[in-house]
Amino acid sequence: MTRRYTVLLFGFLLLLNIFSDLEAQEIDWWESAALYQIYPRSFQDSDGDGVGDLNGITERLEYLKEIGITATWLSPIFESPMSDFGYDISNFTRIDPIFGTLDDFDALIAKAKDIGVKIILDFVPNHSSDECEWFKKSIRRENGYEDFYVWHDGIADNAGNRLPPSNWVSVFGGPAWTWNAERQQYYLHQFQDKQPDLNFSHPLAREHMQEVLKYWLDRGVDGFRIDAVPHIFEKINDDGTYPDEPLSGWSTDPSSYDYLDHIYTKDQYATVELLYEWRAFLKKYQSENGGETRILLAEAYSSVETLSQYFSNGTHQGAQLPMNFNLMYLNGYSTAEDVVNSAEYWMNTMWKQHQTANWVVGNHDNSRVADRMGRHKVDLLNVIVNAMPGASVTYYGEEIGMGNVPTECTPISCDSRDPERSPMQWDLQANAGFTKGDTTWLPVADDYERYNVQIERGVARSTLQIFKGMQQLKKTAAFKAFKQPGGFSYNALTQNVLQIVRAAANSEEYRVLVNMGNKVERIENLADKTMEYVLLTIHSPHNYGDKVDLSGSFYLMPYEAVVLRSRT
Ligand code: NOJ
Ligand code: MG
């Protein structure tokens, strides 16, 4: 009797122990999330005006569910003169009529909650539009708004002429200071002159921006992607002057952003602290209102060491996902070794400090993968970003292999980034099913009849099928076990063959093998086991379910990517 109870008790304790272990390794939703960026102007038009809108997104939410997306972040949908297509906001808590109404937004949130897709909004704190009420008040030096933006008289040269306060250049090129005739001062803008920088040393600016966060949290959003994080604070001398930045040596053109080394206008420590402040605000909101973790994605083209600070300094926490853009620097010649080096750069800093990884495929500011790396490498990159541990971030259309669409300047748009913002390719209808109208704000790709959702749904091993397959794998226990010892590893087996292993103790092991090169690769004695093919790209001669004995010779065709599985 006693013995039986002892055994039972022992068994119970063992179970408890296992559960607490599991709990310790449990990951929050965002840590293995499949994130998807929607550029609202280009996703789906519902009213026939040729510009995408909120009702269009709502119509297409089921699609996001179908392809396995956890959360989608929307580029700005707020009231804007559209000088930078919504990144110039004139009212931070109003929906721009081109996108719809607040009711449309509420309906989108309701549907998203219903089907279980999280919604993340773009938060653009660095600047507003020059048509924003706050800027107008600041120009008029209205009470409380005098220093809401960054103003300065400028400096005098030897001949007594007035010059801008410093040599700073804007990200888009040309001086970062513009003279305002009405206020008789210069204002700072790190982007267009129609995007004046807010002064975050000013309590009212901080307060207003926090209210913006609260407004959208109250309407049910799951987090924010923070725009242009590195640019939020600038260095100011004690005497109120601004220090010139040193020449970088990378460019001989004084109007180019690359001309200067941005030691005073990028990644100032106050910006790191501001992120901690926003995260604390989100946490407090969550503790008061319940619900799942609200997240911050940070857009920062900064060193990994700086991104690590944006994540946390050990004491304070900032953005859960400071976006990792390093894989966007791969090109058509990149090898498996390059992928490993790029990943190491991130993992050696972030991962070692227990900071979750994320992998970004592309965005509305950069060339599409088909153009950056070549069409035959789109699947490879989609496989890689979803096979690495952590969150993946896909730019709309990359899951079907959309390419850049050459554009000419029109009265609506003339931006070097237009080619990667072309309308989503849904089906075989006119304008790829993006709009019922006759025109689209940017041209639809000529090859949309080949690359679209409808066609790719029906074609085995299409880019869409590979993407969906990877999302299913991302949800398995083995792919979610990346915090357990032995949960993952990656290496270059040869210069061109990348291997990523994902495993959960006592269940399954997956091996993701990617041939980045244009030659057949042979790998000898990869492992002492037989594995099964569970995902195959178009370049693979195998069938799903085929077995391969890895103790012998294993072959990969040019540009072939496969996933193998074994159960233990
Ligand atoms: C980064 C955004 O992604 C880009 O599109 C925009 O022009 C700048 N920030 C300025 O807001
Ligand atoms: Mg529309």
Side-chain angles (χ1 to χ4, degrees):
M1 247 343 214
T2 347
R3 219 185 117 191
R4 193 137 127 228
Y5 280 123
T6 318
V7 170
L8 268 180
L9 183 71
F10 194 71
F12 179 69
L13 286 176
L14 197 78
L15 263 181
L16 255 186
N17 193 21
I18 289 174
F19 278 130
S20 68
D21 268 354
L22 279 182
E23 205 171 48
Q25 278 137 7
E26 218 176 73
I27 48 174
D28 203 352
W29 71 266
W30 54 271
E31 293 184 88
S32 64
L35 295 155
Y36 186 89
Q37 179 193 352
I38 289 179
Y39 195 67
R41 291 181 74 87
S42 303
F43 199 57
Q44 177 66 57
D45 176 26
S46 73
D47 60 5
D49 66 355
V51 180
D53 43 51
L54 291 175
N55 287 339
I57 296 172
T58 308
E59 276 171 33
R60 296 294 188 179
L61 280 176
E62 299 280 359
Y63 168 71
L64 299 190
K65 193 72 196 165
E66 171 195 331
I67 66 172
I69 299 304
T70 325
T72 179
W73 73 268
L74 314 180
S75 280
I77 51 173
F78 317 108
E79 198 183 271
S80 164
M82 301 290 167
S83 176
D84 190 16
F85 294 116
Y87 284 97
D88 50 321
I89 301 173
S90 50
N91 190 320
F92 287 78
T93 50
R94 272 205 210 137
I95 304 286
D96 193 277
I98 197 100
F99 296 122
T101 64
L102 197 54
D103 284 345
D104 297 338
F105 180 77
D106 289 343
L108 185 152
I109 291 283
K111 175 87 183 277
K113 292 214 185 298
D114 203 37
I115 64 175
V117 172
K118 292 184 158 57
I119 302 288
I120 293 167
L121 291 185
D122 213 315
F123 176 53
V124 189
N126 180 68
H127 46 268
S128 72
S129 162
D130 63 341
E131 296 177 37
C132 179
E133 215 35 59
W134 301 336
F135 190 61
K136 293 182 187 159
K137 288 185 181 179
S138 198
I139 291 177
R140 297 191 296 259
R141 298 179 195 261
E142 276 186 31
N143 200 5
Y145 288 85
E146 302 94 325
D147 299 322
F148 204 91
Y149 292 81
V150 183
W151 294 101
H152 198 272
D153 290 336
I155 52 177
D157 69 6
N158 291 340
N161 300 315
R162 196 194 289 274
L163 294 176
S166 66
N167 69 346
W168 297 352
V169 176
S170 86
V171 176
F172 292 146
W177 298 97
T178 289
W179 180 253
N180 181 269
E182 192 180 334
R183 176 156 159 158
Q184 289 286 301
Q185 273 190 314
Y186 288 98
Y187 66 90
L188 176 74
H189 54 90
Q190 291 230 36
F191 294 89
Q192 293 179 7
D193 56 357
K194 281 188 69 61
Q195 295 169 303
D197 271 46
L198 266 64
N199 173 12
F200 272 92
S201 308
H202 187 46
L204 191 65
R206 268 170 124 108
E207 211 175 280
H208 277 14
M209 279 323 220
Q210 196 148 304
E211 281 161 14
V212 170
L213 292 176
K214 174 155 190 323
Y215 181 85
W216 295 110
L217 286 168
D218 283 345
R219 300 207 93 85
V221 306
D222 297 287
F224 302 92
R225 172 263 188 193
I226 313 175
D227 182 74
V229 166
H231 307 278
I232 296 179
F233 276 96
E234 296 78 24
K235 166 103 177 141
I236 179 166
N237 295 323
D238 290 341
D239 63 0
T241 59
Y242 292 94
D244 279 348
E245 286 188 326
L247 304 197
S248 69
W250 300 324
S251 166
T252 50
D253 172 7
S255 70
S256 156
Y257 188 61
D258 288 342
Y259 189 65
L260 301 176
D261 188 2
H262 304 291
I263 56 171
Y264 298 131
T265 57
K266 263 195 88 184
D267 296 320
Q268 305 296 298
Y269 196 71
T271 306
V272 173
E273 289 176 324
L274 186 60
L275 280 198
Y276 298 162
E277 192 175 304
W278 284 330
R279 175 73 177 280
F281 179 72
L282 255 61
K283 277 195 187 163
K284 182 163 165 279
Y285 187 91
Q286 195 178 328
S287 69
E288 289 165 5
N289 295 274
E292 292 193 71
T293 308
R294 315 299 199 281
I295 65 161
L296 292 175
L297 277 75
E299 185 218 23
Y301 291 86
S302 307
S303 71
V304 174
E305 289 74 15
T306 305
L307 294 176
S308 173
Q309 291 291 306
Y310 285 141
F311 182 99
S312 167
N313 65 0
T315 312
H316 299 286
Q317 276 138 21
Q320 287 97 325
L321 300 171
M323 284 193 269
N324 174 6
F325 296 131
N326 290 322
L327 293 182
M328 290 197 326
Y329 301 118
L330 299 177
N331 59 40
Y333 301 104
S334 299
T335 61
E337 285 168 357
D338 295 330
V339 175
V340 169
N341 289 339
S342 172
E344 289 283 276
Y345 178 43
W346 179 275
M347 299 303 256
N348 283 343
T349 304
M350 300 289 290
W351 196 268
K352 282 207 177 126
Q353 300 188 43
H354 307 290
Q355 300 176 336
T356 300
N358 74 83
W359 314 90
V360 179
V361 168
N363 58 37
H364 62 295
D365 297 326
N366 291 282
S367 218
R368 286 194 178 272
V369 180
D371 294 72
R372 227 159 61 213
M373 298 182 67
R375 175 152 296 290
H376 46 291
K377 298 208 173 147
V378 172
D379 289 343
L380 306 189
L381 193 62
N382 281 342
V383 167
I384 293 168
V385 295
N386 288 294
M388 289 300 283
S392 62
V393 189
T394 299
Y395 181 51
Y396 84 95
E398 291 295 354
E399 77 281 17
I400 54 169
M402 275 173 63
N404 283 0
V405 178
T407 53
E408 275 163 30
C409 285
T410 66
I412 304 181
S413 185
C414 187
D415 195 307
S416 59
R417 299 168 295 180
D418 285 344
E420 59 261 21
R421 299 174 176 180
S422 68
M424 177 67 179
Q425 295 154 211
W426 293 104
D427 54 39
L428 296 170
Q429 297 179 64
N431 288 324
F434 163 72
T435 179
K436 293 263 183 281
D438 302 330
T439 55
T440 55
W441 79 282
L442 286 175
V444 174
D446 284 340
D447 58 4
Y448 80 86
E449 291 181 348
R450 176 152 177 209
Y451 299 101
N452 67 65
V453 172
Q454 181 189 6
I455 288 287
E456 294 190 32
R457 265 188 190 131
V459 174
R461 305 188 190 186
S462 65
T463 296
L464 185 64
Q465 300 289 6
I466 299 298
F467 183 87
K468 280 198 208 177
M470 286 311 298
Q471 297 317 327
Q472 275 158 17
L473 292 175
K474 218 168 151 46
K475 295 185 173 64
T476 59
F479 272 63
K480 287 197 168 178
F482 55 79
K483 286 194 172 169
Q484 291 172 15
F488 78 91
S489 68
Y490 59 89
N491 62 328
L493 293 171
T494 69
Q495 191 188 14
N496 275 315
V497 176
L498 175 70
Q499 168 175 255
I500 303 169
V501 182
R502 305 293 298 267
N506 305 321
S507 73
E508 300 168 327
E509 177 189 297
Y510 290 90
R511 273 172 201 251
V512 181
L513 294 149
V514 181
N515 183 359
M516 308 270 299
N518 61 1
K519 292 186 187 61
V520 177
E521 295 272 347
R522 189 179 76 202
I523 316 279
E524 295 296 337
N525 197 13
L526 186 52
D528 251 344
K529 61 165 99 185
T530 295
M531 296 186 87
E532 179 186 347
Y533 285 94
V534 294
L535 186 131
L536 299 159
T537 57
I538 195 87
H539 296 282
S540 180
H542 304 285
N543 292 310
Y544 279 72
D546 281 358
K547 304 269 188 332
V548 55
D549 177 3
L550 295 180
S551 67
S553 303
F554 173 79
Y555 290 92
L556 277 171
M557 294 295 119
Y559 308 127
E560 181 183 358
V562 302
V563 183
L564 306 174
R565 179 181 62 202
S566 65
R567 299 186 201 270
T568 45

